[in-house]
Structures are given as structure tokens and as C-alpha cells.
């Protein structure tokens, strides 16, 4: 509906026919976008989206079995080629019987860019008994190229280097939880 308030739209590209009524901007939805601060292509906002995604703990080379999740909640906001995500993952049982490669968080809503200069990471803001038999001083998620997964890295010493990774399902505790937030670039 062209007269719906923009703030309630799930995915919106603003049109040229806009009005302001009671502090709420309304207008027609068009596919070409809106120019902000200029008329060039660098000023064109042509994509805005909000939604949910389902995060999953996995391994880069694959796994057999799965965790029993009690919560797998992820939210995202995409503006142009930037995707901001947050998620909360909790599990009550580790039923993974085999794994290969480094631990990953999978299921991110958009594929990451392939250029190393555009790669970033995610912050793990809270951890609740997630790992066993591992000493960690800090941890984060490293963006991989052209996939919708991030690799878990941690520092095993006080030097701050995030150069260690979990490479065995036996290091995942039988129950635990993670809160993750961050922003990454996608292909647009």
C-alpha cells in the first residue's frame, strides 16, 4: 500500500511522491531508490531490508550430528551493501559425533564479499559455558570470502592475538549460549 508509513515496511525503496503527515513519511514505493545528498550513483539508496535468519554452529569442513538448540534467533538490517546482524544461540545437548575444519557460525542472511580488503569480523558479546577444555582470553568471528558463514577465532594467551580456532566438536560444551553482533559487506 503506497500510503503505509515507511517505518512499518519490511522492505522499502522510497519514491518521488512523498508527504509528511503527523511526523510519519509516506509515499509510493518504487524500485529505483532515492538519492540522498546528491544525484550521482554514489548517493543512491536503492536497498533497505529487515528480517530474520537462523544461526547454526557448524564446522568449515562439515559435521555429523547437530546441537539441540533451545534458541536460534537472528535479526538483520541491510542498507545498500552493508548488513548488520545480531543473534542469540543457545543449546541443551551436543549431538555432534564428528567434525572437520574450524568451528563456524553459519546461516548469515547474505553472502560476504570476496575481496580481502572488505572482510571484517563479528563481536561475540556474551558467552555462557559454550566451550570445554579451551582457555580463551578473547574471541571473535572472522569473515570468510563469498560465503554466509564466519569462522570462530580466539586468543589462547594474554597477547591478544586471535590466531587459535576450535577444530573439534568435543570442545563444544553439552549446553551453552552465544550472543553475536556485527556488520559486514555483501554484493549489494
Amino acid at each position: 500500500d503506497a500510503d503505509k508509513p515507511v517505518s512499518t515496511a519490511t522492505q522499502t525503496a522510497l519514491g518521488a511522491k512523498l508527504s509528511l503527515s503527523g511526523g510519519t513519511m509516506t509515499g509510493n514505493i518504487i524500485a529505483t531508490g532515492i538519492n540522498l545528498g546528491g544525484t550521482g550513483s554514489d548517493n543512491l539508496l536503492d536497498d533497505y531490508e529487515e528480517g530474520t535468519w537462523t544461526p547454526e554452529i557448524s564446522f568449515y569442513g562439515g559435521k555429523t550430528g547437530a546441537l539441540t538448540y533451545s534458541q536460534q534467533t537472528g535479526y538483520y538490517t541491510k542498507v545498500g551493501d552493508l548488513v548488520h546482524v545480531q543473534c542469540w544461540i543457545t543449546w541443551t545437548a551436543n549431538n555432534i559425533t564428528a567434525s572437520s575444519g574450524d568451528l563456524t557460525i553459519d546461516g548469515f542472511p547474505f553472502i560476504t564479499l570476496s575481496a580481502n580488503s572488505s572482510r571484517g569480523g563479528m563481536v561475540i558479546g556474551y558467552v555462557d559455558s559454550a566451550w570445554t577444555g579451551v582457555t580463551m582470553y578473547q574471541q571473535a568471528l572472522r569473515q570468510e570470502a563469498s560465503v554466509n558463514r564466519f569462522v570462530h577465532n580466539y586468543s589462547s594467551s594474554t597477547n591478544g592475538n586471535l590466531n587459535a580456532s576450535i577444530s573439534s566438536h568435543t570442545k563444544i560444551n553439552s549446553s551453552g549460549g552465544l550472543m553475536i553482533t556485527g556488520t559486514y559487506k555483501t554484493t549489494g
Side-chain angles (χ1 to χ4, degrees), residues 3 19 21-22 27 47 54 72 85 89 112 121 127 129 141-142 148 156 182:
D3 294 324
S19 64
S21 173
D47 191 13
T54 304
Q72 288 178 277
V85 296
I89 309 168
T112 61
V127 178
S129 304
L141 297 175
R142 180 187 78 239
N148 64 340
S156 58

Side-chain angles (χ1 to χ4, degrees), residues 21 50 59 62 85 157:
S21 173
E50 295 177 356
F59 287 85
V85 296
S157 65

